[in-house]
């Protein structure tokens, strides 16, 4: 076992790690404990004892996270989700000025996945057509920061084109008064997102299985794309969004490589052209 017992001693005695709000610190500690367990052996009695201590501390810290997620889930079911998520949304906004364009995941992703508790998908996945991008969730800090900047109201409908397991529409329904729609090619992901919305009582989040090229866009005021597709497929969807923008003002939010393509659309203007590396927000002209 290679775990430095000095750090383990320190973590075992650090009472603050048991405070629910110290999510980031707990997440760092759990990562370190996991690494120790992955690297370690327990051939000798001393090593076996050390391993037991690591496992016990990891279980204790995980239980704090689980209780925090259960408490937020309950708040959402009671209709108080926006309030329960507010400290975490504020944390995402305060870290947003750091030069962080990456799609790395952090403690907020652990929190959101614990809160949403989306089960394993069981149905087989469909083959992807040319240009379609496989599922990868938007990092939670980017979603929370984007929602703070969008300031969605009751009259808004956010449509996530290529919504995967539905994190974005679900968080819209939890944290704002807007409605949300996820359009997703994979029926298995749609079923999982719908079940999550049902369990959390999120009546303002809807999910449709289909191709973004054919989905109804007529109710959307804000469209989100986390690089769900590229090439001709992206072109076809952008042309459809341009038609929508002739009927009413819309906003388009993007994350990832598709931002560069969207930034070239002459019918859109970026809210902050100097920061297209985080979720970018474009307004129709
Ligand atoms: C990168 S993931 C983004 C997931 C989600 N929007 C998020 O931010 O967490 C892209 C998703 O788009 C879906 N997708 C790709 N092409 C699509 C299309 N033509 N119509 C609907 N969904 C599509 C994929 O199945 C995948 O789940």
């Amino acid at each position: 076992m290679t775990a430095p017992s000095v750090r383990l001693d320190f973590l075992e005695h650090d009472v603050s790690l048991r405070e629910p709000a110290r999510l980031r610190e707990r997440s760092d500690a759990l990562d370190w404990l996991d690494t120790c367990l992955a690297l370690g052996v327990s051939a000798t009695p001393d090593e076996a004892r050390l391993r037991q201590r690591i496992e016990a501390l990891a279980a204790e810290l995980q239980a704090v996270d689980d209780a925090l997620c259960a408490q937020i889930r309950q708040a959402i079911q009671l209709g108080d989700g926006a309030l329960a998520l507010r400290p975490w949304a504020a944390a995402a906004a305060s870290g947003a000025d750091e030069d962080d364009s990456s799609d790395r995941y952090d403690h907020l992703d652990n929190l959101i996945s614990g809160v949403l508790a989306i089960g394993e998908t069981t149905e087989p996945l469909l083959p992807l057509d040319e240009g379609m991008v496989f599922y990868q969730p938007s990092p939670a800090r980017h979603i929370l920061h984007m929602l703070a900047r969008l300031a969605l109201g009751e009259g808004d409908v956010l449509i996530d084109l290529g919504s995967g397991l539905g994190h974005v529409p679900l968080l819209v329904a939890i944290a704002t008064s807007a409605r949300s729609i996820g359009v997703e090619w994979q029926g298995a992901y749609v079923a999982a997102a719908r079940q999550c919305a049902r369990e959390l009582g999120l009546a303002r989040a809807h999910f449709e299985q289909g191709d973004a090229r054919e989905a109804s866009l007529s109710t959307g005021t804000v469209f989100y794309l986390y690089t769900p597709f590229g090439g001709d497929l992206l072109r076809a969807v952008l042309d459809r969004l341009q038609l929508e923008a002739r009927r009413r003002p819309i906003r388009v939010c993007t994350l990832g490589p598709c931002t560069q393509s969207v930034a070239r659309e002459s019918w859109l203007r970026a809210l902050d052209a100097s920061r297209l590396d985080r979720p970018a927000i474009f307004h129709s002209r």
Side-chain angles (χ1 to χ4, degrees), residues 132-133 135-138 160 162-164 184-185 210-212 226 228-229:
M132 293 183 175
V133 174
Y135 177 60
Q136 192 179 336
S138 290
D160 184 359
S163 52
E184 170 56 46
W185 175 249
D211 188 329
Y226 177 28
F229 27 71

Side-chain angles (χ1 to χ4, degrees), residues 128 131-139 143 160-169 183-186 189 210-213 224-229 233 237 255:
L128 297 179
M132 293 183 175
V133 174
F134 61 87
Y135 177 60
Q136 192 179 336
S138 290
I143 305 175
D160 184 359
L161 295 166
S163 52
L165 288 172
H167 290 194
V168 175
V183 176
E184 170 56 46
W185 175 249
Q186 300 291 358
Y189 296 160
D211 188 329
R213 281 170 290 199
Y224 178 66
L225 297 99
Y226 177 28
T227 309
F229 27 71
L233 212 165
V237 172
L255 183 62

Side-chain angles (χ1 to χ4, degrees), residues 35-58:
T35 307
C36 292
L37 287 173
L39 293 176
V41 289
S42 40
T44 68
D46 276 355
E47 285 175 346
R49 264 193 300 278
L50 200 55
R51 189 180 184 88
Q52 271 177 1
R53 283 172 59 198
I54 291 174
E55 284 172 347
L57 181 59

Side-chain angles (χ1 to χ4, degrees), residues 175-206:
T176 81
S177 57
R179 287 185 293 136
S180 57
I181 300 173
V183 176
E184 170 56 46
W185 175 249
Q186 300 291 358
Y189 296 160
V190 170
R194 278 182 184 152
Q195 171 151 355
C196 175
R198 256 195 314 275
E199 286 171 5
L200 291 176
L202 300 173
R204 283 182 282 108
H206 294 276

